[in-house]
Amino acid sequence: MPLITWETLQIVIVLTLLVGVMIAFIQERVSPDVVGLSCVAILLALGILSVDEVLAVFSNPAPIPVACMFILSAALERTGVIHCIGQAICQ
């Protein structure tokens, strides 16, 4: 029996990719959407994720409210509402 099976190698690849993604998110040199899509593309290219598994994410209703929250928070930050609320709380 081989020492490293395909399943073990998949775990190592995913954990390594996870660490790399976290580092990329912290460093913010590349936008988060590019990092996320690149991660999915790597997992898809290596055969760790199937096309059906990747597309199944879009049928789940949970990411839609999360995306809306990101849009709203960005709008509130750009208009200065977050700064005003922060100033009001700190006083």
Side-chain angles (χ1 to χ4, degrees):
M1 187 165 141
L3 184 63
I4 297 179
T5 62
W6 173 239
E7 290 79 17
T8 306
L9 189 58
Q10 286 178 342
I11 293 170
V12 171
I13 291 169
V14 169
L15 289 176
T16 305
L17 199 56
L18 180 64
V19 169
V21 166
M22 295 306 292
I23 290 171
F25 282 160
I26 291 169
Q27 290 181 346
E28 296 181 354
R29 291 186 182 162
V30 181
S31 66
D33 54 339
V34 172
V35 173
L37 289 175
S38 298
C39 178
V40 171
I42 291 170
L43 292 173
L44 190 61
L46 292 175
I48 296 173
L49 287 178
S50 67
V51 175
D52 292 335
E53 291 171 329
V54 172
L55 293 178
V57 172
F58 297 111
S59 67
N60 187 347
I64 295 171
V66 173
C68 291
M69 286 180 7
F70 278 121
I71 292 169
L72 286 174
S73 65
L76 291 173
E77 184 178 352
R78 287 185 183 168
T79 58
V81 173
I82 300 292
H83 180 71
C84 292
I85 292 172
Q87 292 295 324
I89 291 172
C90 291
Q91 291 179 354

